[in-house]
Amino acid sequence: MKRIYNSLEQFSITVNLLKWTLYVIPVSLTVGSLVALFLWLLEAATRLRWQYEWLLLLLPLAGVVIYLLYTYLGKNSDAGNNLVMEEIHQPGAGVPARMAPLVLISTVITHLFGGSAGREGTAVQMGGSVANLFAKWFKLNEQDLRIMLMTGVAAGFGAVFGTPLTGAVFALEVLAIGIIRYEALIPCLMAALFADITTSAWGIHHTHYHIGFIGSNKPDLRFINVDLLLLVKVIATGVAFGLASYLFAESMHTIKNYANRFIRIKWLIPVLGGLLIIALCYILGTTDYIGLGVTGKEPDSVSILSAFHAGGATNWSWLWKLLFTTITLAMGFKGGEVTPLFFIGATLGNALAIWLGAPVDLFAALGFIAVFAGATNTPLACTLMGIELFGSGNALYFAVACFTAYYFSGHSGIYSAQRLMVSKV
Amino acid sequence: MKRIYNSLEQFSITVNLLKWTLYVIPVSLTVGSLVALFLWLLEAATRLRWQYEWLLLLLPLAGVVIYLLYTYLGKNSDAGNNLVMEEIHQPGAGVPARMAPLVLISTVITHLFGGSAGREGTAVQMGGSVANLFAKWFKLNEQDLRIMLMTGVAAGFGAVFGTPLTGAVFALEVLAIGIIRYEALIPCLMAALFADITTSAWGIHHTHYHIGFIGSNKPDLRFINVDLLLLVKVIATGVAFGLASYLFAESMHTIKNYANRFIRIKWLIPVLGGLLIIALCYILGTTDYIGLGVTGKEPDSVSILSAFHAGGATNWSWLWKLLFTTITLAMGFKGGEVTPLFFIGATLGNALAIWLGAPVDLFAALGFIAVFAGATNTPLACTLMGIELFGSGNALYFAVACFTAYYFSGHSGIYSAQRLMVSKV
């Protein structure tokens, strides 16, 4: 290592970190507060939809409203997460300030009328938009603007799921496949942490998950005397989780491409999407697969929480959620992909655990993080998310499942702005 | 992301992973077994030294023996960890097979006669040496040889500390400052896991640490309602840990440079080193700072374990251990740096916790991982090590301490072969 730095480098590091502390605080407070508002509205929208079931019938109309919002007010906001990532790779026209309110309103509309969508996309876009605004006010140079946008992503992600460490690593890991650069390690951690504290200070609580399985956590055995049969099962399901990620990403791209190619009148795309969702609900006779899906309306509904218990999901719950979500998001509605990916993974894990004779709660947790790891190509962030949400007792299985899913999702992924740096082959 | 891969990529990924499974198994079994032998010998050497205190007086002579071993049998083995890292960066003459037995024997000699050293260097060098040997037998090309060497490092590190996940991430993270490349993610995880299983199958057990502090782990509070005062203390100690890492690395380089400049007869360097260690023991009236230091000889000895309790270390234990270790390792004795770094960090954390009115066990754990993170520039691996060794309840504090120490150790570090990729300023 070249000794190109003098003995004062600790001084300049201190100055640099203090500078970033000052930059990050307003971003975190704003993003954390917006996320709190967002989660509160989402909760209210979900309750309203449960109360007034006819709201679902207005989904096609809601799609048109979102289309009009983005067409007449959106500028380039429609590019969403990819725009934020492109601006981090190469700052250009900037992330527009209007992206934050637009994505907030349209995501809540999507959820109110029964689209199947998530939250992280919304939080990340609000984060990027707010960070860009402060960067403009602070007159930051290009390099600092890039880091500022990363802190916005970290703040949004960390606050929306209540997992600050994951948020920080996600912001660094998501930009490219196969590489992490540490240029914003501490600013991202501070941003995610402060934003998470802000969201919680507004009284927002996150869902708690619990894994009863502690087979690998006996203090006198530790991880090392691994149950080898269980390990083989974890690897096998990891492959399945990776293929599910692949199927999700490919379905998104395919549906989007076909819709745009064959439907000339663009506002008809969300109308058709909405009608498809309604039709699927009637065909399946359930509304379990619309909305966020963290908890269910009825005690016997299929949801992320129910997937942690045997009988809490059917064999094909994961495929239905995949279909509902890709139709919703590829045909013009707004929201994130991550919570539906949790749903798909947890229900797939549930089905595979029963089939393989493995602990249902552990495998639901593995699917929860691993399908997400495969679809976003962020295996380290997802391993950390498993640890932040479910504890460290099964950390090794978390890593094995996430790393395996990462490989088997191929070089596809839900973010087209993600750059391929290190091939998986 | 460019779609340059066809739909058969999952097939080639499978083939690639199966290939690496076959490559990694013999490396892991061999490295895991060598590590088991090494840990068993280390335990025996420590007991013998405790039993026969006069062994310490032979330390200068032991230094000459090690010098002669490396001079007449060593080829380029003396470059140690740095040689393994250089070969991963740019394969050259290879890591010699003789490095494994040489470093094993000379580390055990160092410990038997009371040098202050660790284990990870030995394990990593055995791993690199064994991996290089198998790569030669398998006639691997240059790219595969690089990955093979990384799996050797992961296997050695994962097995010697019983932390496979940390071992895998360490092998990827240690090569360069500020960047992780995923080219060997699964092979490294497999290698570390299989090697750890092998070591444990030989009946080797690792020391268990326990943190009673669970203030941040209340299920209804989670990490988010962080104790802000405690967070400030964690950041402040993180800075101190980083500066301790810096002091350690600089002392190593300085002592090595001066010894080589002023002592013409090279075998006199370890003789002088040994005499200095003996003198320091008599001046301080204790042998607590020689050897591995995980546990102490007497119930009131200062050790890594004792540092987890109030009164288990003095205000300056960390500085003494730093001095003993840098003299030992910079003046010709063999072994790793990491366990002494654990000792320095845990005792510094102990002293700072009492001074700041913070939980002693938590801050000992923070120092344990953070001084190591700063000295080796591996903040993510060390955060994971904290989680693997101490559980996830304080994961956020682990990350804050490791990331802070990483920044404040500057661009120095104990591995001169580490490349600077992303500046910390």
Side-chain angles (χ1 to χ4, degrees), chain A residues 1 3 9-10 13-14 162 173 177-180 182 186 193 196 200 222 224-225 253 391 396 407-408 411 416 418, chain B residues 1 3 9-10 13-14 162 173 177-180 182 186 193 196 200 222 224-225 253 396 407-408 411 416 418:
Chain A
M1 187 180 52
R3 306 191 144 270
E9 60 179 351
Q10 267 84 1
I13 287 171
T14 310
E173 195 178 27
I177 297 180
I179 209 164
I180 294 189
Y182 287 6
I186 290 242
L193 181 54
D196 181 40
S200 74
R222 302 250 347 282
I224 42 180
N225 289 322
H253 298 309
L396 196 64
Y407 273 79
F408 281 89
H411 296 88
S416 59
Q418 205 171 40
Chain B
M1 188 180 47
R3 306 191 145 269
E9 61 179 350
Q10 267 84 1
I13 288 171
T14 309
E173 194 178 29
I177 297 180
I179 208 163
I180 293 191
Y182 287 5
I186 291 242
L193 180 55
D196 180 41
S200 74
R222 303 249 348 281
I224 42 180
N225 289 321
H253 299 308
L396 195 64
Y407 273 80
F408 281 88
H411 296 87
S416 59
Q418 204 170 43

Short mmCIF file of all heavy atoms in Angstrom, two decimals, chain A residues 1 3 9-10 13-14 162 173 177-180 182 186 193 196 200 222 224-225 253 391 396 407-408 411 416 418, chain B residues 1 3 9-10 13-14 162 173 177-180 182 186 193 196 200 222 224-225 253 396 407-408 411 416 418:
data_model
loop_
_atom_site.label_atom_id
_atom_site.label_comp_id
_atom_site.label_asym_id
_atom_site.label_seq_id
_atom_site.Cartn_x
_atom_site.Cartn_y
_atom_site.Cartn_z
N MET A 1 0.85 -1.20 0.00
CA MET A 1 0.00 0.00 0.00
C MET A 1 0.88 1.24 0.00
O MET A 1 1.77 1.38 0.81
CB MET A 1 -0.85 -0.04 1.26
CG MET A 1 -1.88 1.01 1.32
SD MET A 1 -2.76 0.80 2.87
CE MET A 1 -1.39 0.75 4.01
N ARG A 3 2.28 4.74 0.70
CA ARG A 3 2.13 5.66 1.83
C ARG A 3 2.08 7.08 1.30
O ARG A 3 2.98 7.87 1.48
CB ARG A 3 3.30 5.49 2.79
CG ARG A 3 3.48 4.06 3.21
CD ARG A 3 4.47 3.94 4.35
NE ARG A 3 4.00 2.89 5.21
CZ ARG A 3 3.20 3.07 6.23
NH1 ARG A 3 2.79 4.26 6.55
NH2 ARG A 3 2.81 2.05 6.96
N GLU A 9 -3.59 12.67 8.11
CA GLU A 9 -4.78 12.15 7.43
C GLU A 9 -5.95 11.96 8.39
O GLU A 9 -7.09 12.15 8.00
CB GLU A 9 -4.47 10.87 6.67
CG GLU A 9 -3.97 9.73 7.51
CD GLU A 9 -3.70 8.48 6.68
OE1 GLU A 9 -4.07 8.47 5.51
OE2 GLU A 9 -3.13 7.53 7.22
N GLN A 10 -5.66 11.59 9.66
CA GLN A 10 -6.77 11.48 10.62
C GLN A 10 -7.50 12.80 10.77
O GLN A 10 -8.71 12.83 10.98
CB GLN A 10 -6.26 11.02 12.00
CG GLN A 10 -6.30 9.51 12.20
CD GLN A 10 -5.08 8.82 11.64
OE1 GLN A 10 -4.18 9.47 11.11
NE2 GLN A 10 -5.03 7.51 11.74
N ILE A 13 -9.70 13.21 7.77
CA ILE A 13 -10.83 12.27 7.87
C ILE A 13 -11.87 12.80 8.84
O ILE A 13 -13.08 12.74 8.58
CB ILE A 13 -10.30 10.88 8.32
CG1 ILE A 13 -9.55 10.21 7.17
CG2 ILE A 13 -11.44 9.99 8.79
CD1 ILE A 13 -8.81 8.94 7.53
N THR A 14 -11.41 13.37 9.97
CA THR A 14 -12.35 13.94 10.94
C THR A 14 -13.17 15.07 10.32
O THR A 14 -14.40 15.11 10.46
CB THR A 14 -11.58 14.48 12.17
OG1 THR A 14 -10.69 13.47 12.63
CG2 THR A 14 -12.53 14.87 13.28
N GLY A 162 -37.03 -0.46 9.02
CA GLY A 162 -36.52 -0.49 10.39
C GLY A 162 -35.23 -1.26 10.51
O GLY A 162 -34.93 -1.82 11.57
N GLU A 173 -24.39 -1.58 -2.08
CA GLU A 173 -24.30 -2.85 -2.81
C GLU A 173 -25.17 -2.87 -4.06
O GLU A 173 -24.84 -3.55 -5.03
CB GLU A 173 -24.72 -4.00 -1.87
CG GLU A 173 -24.35 -5.38 -2.37
CD GLU A 173 -24.74 -6.47 -1.39
OE1 GLU A 173 -25.70 -6.27 -0.61
OE2 GLU A 173 -24.10 -7.54 -1.40
N ILE A 177 -23.46 -5.05 -9.79
CA ILE A 177 -23.45 -6.48 -9.49
C ILE A 177 -22.01 -6.93 -9.26
O ILE A 177 -21.15 -6.71 -10.11
CB ILE A 177 -24.05 -7.30 -10.63
CG1 ILE A 177 -25.52 -6.92 -10.83
CG2 ILE A 177 -23.93 -8.80 -10.36
CD1 ILE A 177 -26.21 -7.68 -11.95
N GLY A 178 -21.74 -7.51 -8.09
CA GLY A 178 -20.45 -8.14 -7.88
C GLY A 178 -19.39 -7.26 -7.25
O GLY A 178 -18.22 -7.62 -7.21
N ILE A 179 -19.78 -6.09 -6.74
CA ILE A 179 -18.78 -5.20 -6.17
C ILE A 179 -19.43 -4.30 -5.13
O ILE A 179 -20.59 -3.93 -5.23
CB ILE A 179 -18.11 -4.37 -7.30
CG1 ILE A 179 -16.68 -4.00 -6.93
CG2 ILE A 179 -18.92 -3.16 -7.64
CD1 ILE A 179 -15.86 -3.55 -8.11
N ILE A 180 -18.67 -3.98 -4.08
CA ILE A 180 -19.08 -2.92 -3.14
C ILE A 180 -17.93 -1.96 -3.04
O ILE A 180 -16.79 -2.37 -2.83
CB ILE A 180 -19.36 -3.46 -1.72
CG1 ILE A 180 -20.57 -4.38 -1.71
CG2 ILE A 180 -19.61 -2.32 -0.76
CD1 ILE A 180 -21.00 -4.75 -0.30
N TYR A 182 -16.54 1.42 -0.86
CA TYR A 182 -16.81 1.94 0.48
C TYR A 182 -16.85 3.46 0.55
O TYR A 182 -16.73 4.03 1.61
CB TYR A 182 -15.73 1.47 1.45
CG TYR A 182 -15.81 0.02 1.82
CD1 TYR A 182 -16.72 -0.83 1.21
CD2 TYR A 182 -14.98 -0.50 2.80
CE1 TYR A 182 -16.78 -2.16 1.55
CE2 TYR A 182 -15.04 -1.84 3.16
CZ TYR A 182 -15.93 -2.66 2.52
OH TYR A 182 -15.98 -3.97 2.88
N ILE A 186 -19.63 5.46 6.07
CA ILE A 186 -20.14 6.11 7.29
C ILE A 186 -21.30 7.05 6.98
O ILE A 186 -22.30 7.02 7.69
CB ILE A 186 -18.99 6.85 8.02
CG1 ILE A 186 -18.03 5.82 8.62
CG2 ILE A 186 -19.56 7.78 9.09
CD1 ILE A 186 -17.89 5.84 10.11
N LEU A 193 -29.36 5.30 10.00
CA LEU A 193 -29.61 5.27 11.44
C LEU A 193 -30.48 6.45 11.87
O LEU A 193 -31.49 6.29 12.56
CB LEU A 193 -28.26 5.28 12.16
CG LEU A 193 -28.25 5.23 13.68
CD1 LEU A 193 -29.04 4.04 14.18
CD2 LEU A 193 -26.81 5.13 14.18
N ASP A 196 -34.02 6.12 10.54
CA ASP A 196 -34.76 5.10 11.26
C ASP A 196 -35.21 5.62 12.62
O ASP A 196 -36.35 5.40 13.05
CB ASP A 196 -33.88 3.86 11.42
CG ASP A 196 -34.60 2.74 12.13
OD1 ASP A 196 -35.79 2.55 11.85
OD2 ASP A 196 -33.98 2.06 12.96
N SER A 200 -39.13 6.15 13.82
CA SER A 200 -39.64 5.55 15.05
C SER A 200 -40.10 6.63 16.03
O SER A 200 -41.04 6.42 16.80
CB SER A 200 -38.59 4.63 15.69
OG SER A 200 -37.57 5.39 16.29
N ARG A 222 -22.57 -24.22 18.59
CA ARG A 222 -22.36 -23.09 17.67
C ARG A 222 -22.73 -23.51 16.24
O ARG A 222 -23.48 -24.45 16.01
CB ARG A 222 -20.94 -22.58 17.73
CG ARG A 222 -20.54 -22.13 19.13
CD ARG A 222 -20.38 -20.64 19.26
NE ARG A 222 -20.32 -19.93 18.01
CZ ARG A 222 -19.26 -19.87 17.22
NH1 ARG A 222 -18.16 -20.50 17.56
NH2 ARG A 222 -19.32 -19.20 16.12
N ILE A 224 -20.76 -24.56 13.98
CA ILE A 224 -19.83 -25.44 13.31
C ILE A 224 -20.37 -26.84 13.14
O ILE A 224 -20.21 -27.43 12.10
CB ILE A 224 -18.49 -25.45 14.05
CG1 ILE A 224 -18.73 -25.51 15.54
CG2 ILE A 224 -17.69 -24.24 13.68
CD1 ILE A 224 -17.47 -25.53 16.36
N ASN A 225 -21.00 -27.39 14.18
CA ASN A 225 -21.53 -28.72 14.00
C ASN A 225 -22.86 -28.61 13.28
O ASN A 225 -23.92 -28.94 13.76
CB ASN A 225 -21.67 -29.43 15.35
CG ASN A 225 -20.31 -29.77 15.88
OD1 ASN A 225 -19.43 -30.14 15.13
ND2 ASN A 225 -20.14 -29.63 17.18
N HIS A 253 -39.94 -7.56 -16.93
CA HIS A 253 -39.45 -7.01 -18.18
C HIS A 253 -40.36 -7.42 -19.35
O HIS A 253 -40.69 -6.62 -20.22
CB HIS A 253 -38.02 -7.48 -18.45
CG HIS A 253 -37.05 -7.04 -17.41
ND1 HIS A 253 -36.94 -5.73 -17.00
CD2 HIS A 253 -36.14 -7.72 -16.66
CE1 HIS A 253 -36.01 -5.63 -16.06
NE2 HIS A 253 -35.52 -6.82 -15.83
N GLY A 391 -32.45 -12.23 14.05
CA GLY A 391 -31.41 -12.62 15.00
C GLY A 391 -30.29 -13.40 14.32
O GLY A 391 -30.38 -13.76 13.14
N LEU A 396 -25.57 -18.23 9.47
CA LEU A 396 -24.88 -18.97 8.43
C LEU A 396 -25.84 -19.46 7.35
O LEU A 396 -25.54 -19.38 6.16
CB LEU A 396 -24.16 -20.16 9.07
CG LEU A 396 -23.11 -20.80 8.20
CD1 LEU A 396 -21.99 -19.83 7.91
CD2 LEU A 396 -22.58 -22.03 8.89
N TYR A 407 -26.45 -16.20 -6.94
CA TYR A 407 -25.86 -16.83 -8.12
C TYR A 407 -26.93 -17.30 -9.10
O TYR A 407 -26.83 -17.08 -10.30
CB TYR A 407 -24.99 -18.03 -7.71
CG TYR A 407 -23.56 -17.65 -7.38
CD1 TYR A 407 -23.23 -17.08 -6.16
CD2 TYR A 407 -22.55 -17.82 -8.31
CE1 TYR A 407 -21.93 -16.72 -5.86
CE2 TYR A 407 -21.23 -17.48 -8.01
CZ TYR A 407 -20.93 -16.92 -6.78
OH TYR A 407 -19.65 -16.56 -6.50
N PHE A 408 -28.00 -17.92 -8.56
CA PHE A 408 -28.97 -18.56 -9.45
C PHE A 408 -30.01 -17.61 -10.01
O PHE A 408 -30.85 -18.03 -10.80
CB PHE A 408 -29.60 -19.77 -8.75
CG PHE A 408 -28.68 -20.96 -8.79
CD1 PHE A 408 -27.74 -21.17 -7.79
CD2 PHE A 408 -28.72 -21.83 -9.87
CE1 PHE A 408 -26.87 -22.24 -7.85
CE2 PHE A 408 -27.85 -22.90 -9.93
CZ PHE A 408 -26.92 -23.11 -8.92
N HIS A 411 -27.75 -13.04 -14.31
CA HIS A 411 -27.35 -11.64 -14.42
C HIS A 411 -28.54 -10.74 -14.68
O HIS A 411 -28.39 -9.59 -15.05
CB HIS A 411 -26.29 -11.48 -15.50
CG HIS A 411 -25.03 -12.19 -15.16
ND1 HIS A 411 -24.83 -13.50 -15.48
CD2 HIS A 411 -23.93 -11.80 -14.47
CE1 HIS A 411 -23.64 -13.89 -15.02
NE2 HIS A 411 -23.08 -12.89 -14.40
N SER A 416 -32.71 -2.08 -13.89
CA SER A 416 -31.96 -2.08 -15.15
C SER A 416 -30.76 -1.15 -15.09
O SER A 416 -29.85 -1.25 -15.89
CB SER A 416 -32.87 -1.70 -16.30
OG SER A 416 -33.43 -0.43 -16.07
N GLN A 418 -28.62 -1.11 -12.73
CA GLN A 418 -27.54 -1.78 -12.01
C GLN A 418 -26.47 -2.20 -13.02
O GLN A 418 -26.80 -2.73 -14.08
CB GLN A 418 -28.12 -3.01 -11.33
CG GLN A 418 -27.39 -3.49 -10.14
CD GLN A 418 -28.21 -4.59 -9.44
OE1 GLN A 418 -28.81 -5.43 -10.08
NE2 GLN A 418 -28.22 -4.56 -8.12
N MET B 1 -28.22 -2.76 -16.97
CA MET B 1 -27.39 -3.95 -17.02
C MET B 1 -27.51 -4.58 -18.42
O MET B 1 -28.60 -4.81 -18.90
CB MET B 1 -27.90 -4.92 -15.96
CG MET B 1 -27.08 -6.12 -15.76
SD MET B 1 -27.86 -7.12 -14.49
CE MET B 1 -29.55 -7.11 -15.03
N ARG B 3 -27.74 -7.18 -21.29
CA ARG B 3 -28.24 -8.57 -21.33
C ARG B 3 -27.35 -9.37 -22.27
O ARG B 3 -27.76 -9.79 -23.33
CB ARG B 3 -29.68 -8.58 -21.82
CG ARG B 3 -30.56 -7.67 -21.01
CD ARG B 3 -32.03 -7.88 -21.32
NE ARG B 3 -32.76 -7.68 -20.09
CZ ARG B 3 -33.05 -8.63 -19.25
NH1 ARG B 3 -32.71 -9.87 -19.50
NH2 ARG B 3 -33.70 -8.35 -18.14
N GLU B 9 -27.59 -19.26 -18.79
CA GLU B 9 -26.57 -18.87 -17.83
C GLU B 9 -26.71 -19.63 -16.51
O GLU B 9 -25.71 -19.93 -15.89
CB GLU B 9 -26.57 -17.36 -17.61
CG GLU B 9 -27.85 -16.80 -17.05
CD GLU B 9 -27.74 -15.30 -16.84
OE1 GLU B 9 -26.64 -14.76 -16.95
OE2 GLU B 9 -28.77 -14.68 -16.56
N GLN B 10 -27.95 -19.96 -16.10
CA GLN B 10 -28.09 -20.75 -14.87
C GLN B 10 -27.36 -22.08 -14.99
O GLN B 10 -26.82 -22.59 -14.02
CB GLN B 10 -29.56 -21.00 -14.52
CG GLN B 10 -30.17 -19.97 -13.59
CD GLN B 10 -30.65 -18.74 -14.34
OE1 GLN B 10 -30.57 -18.67 -15.55
NE2 GLN B 10 -31.17 -17.76 -13.61
N ILE B 13 -23.69 -21.41 -14.55
CA ILE B 13 -23.44 -21.09 -13.14
C ILE B 13 -23.41 -22.37 -12.31
O ILE B 13 -22.54 -22.56 -11.45
CB ILE B 13 -24.51 -20.11 -12.62
CG1 ILE B 13 -24.27 -18.72 -13.23
CG2 ILE B 13 -24.50 -20.04 -11.09
CD1 ILE B 13 -25.38 -17.73 -12.96
N THR B 14 -24.34 -23.30 -12.60
CA THR B 14 -24.38 -24.57 -11.87
C THR B 14 -23.08 -25.35 -12.08
O THR B 14 -22.47 -25.83 -11.13
CB THR B 14 -25.57 -25.42 -12.35
OG1 THR B 14 -26.75 -24.63 -12.30
CG2 THR B 14 -25.73 -26.66 -11.48
N GLY B 162 -13.45 -20.20 14.22
CA GLY B 162 -14.78 -20.78 14.30
C GLY B 162 -15.86 -19.85 13.80
O GLY B 162 -17.00 -19.90 14.25
N GLU B 173 -12.54 -9.18 1.51
CA GLU B 173 -12.44 -7.77 1.90
C GLU B 173 -11.00 -7.33 2.14
O GLU B 173 -10.65 -6.17 1.96
CB GLU B 173 -13.27 -7.54 3.17
CG GLU B 173 -13.53 -6.07 3.49
CD GLU B 173 -14.41 -5.91 4.72
OE1 GLU B 173 -14.38 -6.79 5.61
OE2 GLU B 173 -15.11 -4.89 4.80
N ILE B 177 -8.28 -1.93 0.13
CA ILE B 177 -8.98 -1.01 1.01
C ILE B 177 -10.10 -0.34 0.23
O ILE B 177 -9.87 0.25 -0.82
CB ILE B 177 -8.02 0.06 1.55
CG1 ILE B 177 -6.91 -0.58 2.38
CG2 ILE B 177 -8.77 1.10 2.38
CD1 ILE B 177 -5.92 0.42 2.94
N GLY B 178 -11.32 -0.45 0.76
CA GLY B 178 -12.42 0.33 0.19
C GLY B 178 -13.21 -0.37 -0.88
O GLY B 178 -14.03 0.25 -1.55
N ILE B 179 -13.02 -1.67 -1.06
CA ILE B 179 -13.75 -2.36 -2.13
C ILE B 179 -13.88 -3.83 -1.79
O ILE B 179 -13.01 -4.41 -1.14
CB ILE B 179 -13.01 -2.15 -3.48
CG1 ILE B 179 -13.99 -2.21 -4.63
CG2 ILE B 179 -11.90 -3.15 -3.65
CD1 ILE B 179 -13.41 -1.63 -5.90
N ILE B 180 -15.01 -4.43 -2.17
CA ILE B 180 -15.16 -5.89 -2.14
C ILE B 180 -15.60 -6.33 -3.52
O ILE B 180 -16.54 -5.77 -4.07
CB ILE B 180 -16.25 -6.35 -1.14
CG1 ILE B 180 -15.87 -6.05 0.29
CG2 ILE B 180 -16.49 -7.84 -1.27
CD1 ILE B 180 -16.78 -6.72 1.30
N TYR B 182 -16.99 -9.71 -5.72
CA TYR B 182 -17.67 -10.95 -5.35
C TYR B 182 -17.21 -12.15 -6.16
O TYR B 182 -17.91 -13.15 -6.21
CB TYR B 182 -19.18 -10.79 -5.58
CG TYR B 182 -19.88 -9.91 -4.59
CD1 TYR B 182 -19.17 -9.23 -3.63
CD2 TYR B 182 -21.25 -9.78 -4.60
CE1 TYR B 182 -19.81 -8.41 -2.72
CE2 TYR B 182 -21.89 -8.98 -3.69
CZ TYR B 182 -21.18 -8.29 -2.77
OH TYR B 182 -21.82 -7.49 -1.87
N ILE B 186 -19.22 -17.63 -3.28
CA ILE B 186 -19.66 -18.97 -2.85
C ILE B 186 -18.46 -19.88 -2.58
O ILE B 186 -18.43 -20.56 -1.56
CB ILE B 186 -20.62 -19.59 -3.89
CG1 ILE B 186 -21.94 -18.82 -3.87
CG2 ILE B 186 -20.80 -21.07 -3.62
CD1 ILE B 186 -23.14 -19.63 -3.46
N LEU B 193 -16.73 -22.76 5.54
CA LEU B 193 -17.70 -23.61 6.23
C LEU B 193 -17.17 -25.04 6.38
O LEU B 193 -17.18 -25.61 7.48
CB LEU B 193 -19.02 -23.59 5.44
CG LEU B 193 -20.19 -24.40 5.97
CD1 LEU B 193 -20.51 -24.02 7.39
CD2 LEU B 193 -21.41 -24.16 5.08
N ASP B 196 -14.25 -25.15 8.80
CA ASP B 196 -14.70 -25.00 10.19
C ASP B 196 -15.32 -26.29 10.69
O ASP B 196 -15.07 -26.73 11.82
CB ASP B 196 -15.71 -23.85 10.25
CG ASP B 196 -16.21 -23.62 11.65
OD1 ASP B 196 -15.39 -23.70 12.59
OD2 ASP B 196 -17.42 -23.38 11.82
N SER B 200 -13.86 -28.60 13.79
CA SER B 200 -14.69 -28.99 14.93
C SER B 200 -14.84 -30.50 15.00
O SER B 200 -14.96 -31.06 16.09
CB SER B 200 -16.06 -28.30 14.85
OG SER B 200 -16.84 -28.90 13.85
N ARG B 222 -36.44 -2.58 19.65
CA ARG B 222 -35.50 -2.85 18.57
C ARG B 222 -34.33 -1.87 18.58
O ARG B 222 -34.04 -1.26 19.61
CB ARG B 222 -36.19 -2.85 17.21
CG ARG B 222 -37.33 -3.86 17.14
CD ARG B 222 -37.07 -5.02 16.23
NE ARG B 222 -35.92 -4.84 15.39
CZ ARG B 222 -35.91 -4.11 14.30
NH1 ARG B 222 -36.98 -3.46 13.91
NH2 ARG B 222 -34.82 -4.05 13.59
N ILE B 224 -34.08 0.80 16.92
CA ILE B 224 -34.39 2.14 16.47
C ILE B 224 -34.39 3.16 17.59
O ILE B 224 -33.87 4.24 17.42
CB ILE B 224 -35.73 2.15 15.73
CG1 ILE B 224 -36.74 1.28 16.45
CG2 ILE B 224 -35.52 1.67 14.32
CD1 ILE B 224 -38.09 1.22 15.81
N ASN B 225 -34.98 2.78 18.74
CA ASN B 225 -34.96 3.77 19.81
C ASN B 225 -33.62 3.67 20.50
O ASN B 225 -33.49 3.36 21.67
CB ASN B 225 -36.11 3.55 20.77
CG ASN B 225 -37.41 3.94 20.11
OD1 ASN B 225 -37.45 4.93 19.38
ND2 ASN B 225 -38.44 3.17 20.33
N HIS B 253 5.69 -1.24 11.68
CA HIS B 253 6.55 -0.81 10.58
C HIS B 253 7.82 -0.13 11.11
O HIS B 253 8.92 -0.38 10.61
CB HIS B 253 5.79 0.15 9.65
CG HIS B 253 4.58 -0.47 9.03
ND1 HIS B 253 4.62 -1.67 8.35
CD2 HIS B 253 3.28 -0.07 8.97
CE1 HIS B 253 3.42 -1.98 7.90
NE2 HIS B 253 2.58 -1.01 8.27
N LEU B 396 -25.90 -3.16 15.53
CA LEU B 396 -25.75 -1.80 15.05
C LEU B 396 -24.53 -1.13 15.69
O LEU B 396 -23.77 -0.42 15.02
CB LEU B 396 -27.02 -1.01 15.37
CG LEU B 396 -27.15 0.30 14.63
CD1 LEU B 396 -27.26 0.06 13.15
CD2 LEU B 396 -28.36 1.04 15.14
N TYR B 407 -12.30 4.10 9.53
CA TYR B 407 -11.94 5.43 9.04
C TYR B 407 -10.73 5.99 9.78
O TYR B 407 -9.81 6.54 9.18
CB TYR B 407 -13.13 6.40 9.18
CG TYR B 407 -14.06 6.38 8.00
CD1 TYR B 407 -15.00 5.38 7.86
CD2 TYR B 407 -13.97 7.34 7.00
CE1 TYR B 407 -15.86 5.35 6.77
CE2 TYR B 407 -14.83 7.32 5.91
CZ TYR B 407 -15.77 6.32 5.80
OH TYR B 407 -16.60 6.29 4.71
N PHE B 408 -10.73 5.84 11.12
CA PHE B 408 -9.71 6.53 11.91
C PHE B 408 -8.38 5.78 11.99
O PHE B 408 -7.43 6.28 12.58
CB PHE B 408 -10.24 6.89 13.30
CG PHE B 408 -11.10 8.10 13.25
CD1 PHE B 408 -12.46 8.01 12.99
CD2 PHE B 408 -10.54 9.36 13.38
CE1 PHE B 408 -13.25 9.14 12.90
CE2 PHE B 408 -11.32 10.50 13.30
CZ PHE B 408 -12.69 10.39 13.05
N HIS B 411 -4.95 5.35 6.28
CA HIS B 411 -4.65 4.46 5.17
C HIS B 411 -3.48 3.54 5.49
O HIS B 411 -2.88 2.93 4.63
CB HIS B 411 -4.37 5.26 3.90
CG HIS B 411 -5.57 6.01 3.46
ND1 HIS B 411 -5.86 7.27 3.93
CD2 HIS B 411 -6.60 5.67 2.64
CE1 HIS B 411 -6.99 7.69 3.39
NE2 HIS B 411 -7.46 6.74 2.62
N SER B 416 1.01 -4.88 4.13
CA SER B 416 1.55 -3.94 3.14
C SER B 416 1.12 -4.32 1.73
O SER B 416 1.18 -3.50 0.81
CB SER B 416 3.07 -3.89 3.24
OG SER B 416 3.60 -5.16 3.01
N GLN B 418 -1.87 -4.98 0.87
CA GLN B 418 -3.25 -4.52 0.65
C GLN B 418 -3.22 -3.29 -0.25
O GLN B 418 -2.40 -2.39 -0.05
CB GLN B 418 -3.81 -4.14 2.02
CG GLN B 418 -5.30 -4.17 2.14
CD GLN B 418 -5.73 -4.01 3.60
OE1 GLN B 418 -5.17 -3.18 4.32
NE2 GLN B 418 -6.69 -4.79 4.03
#
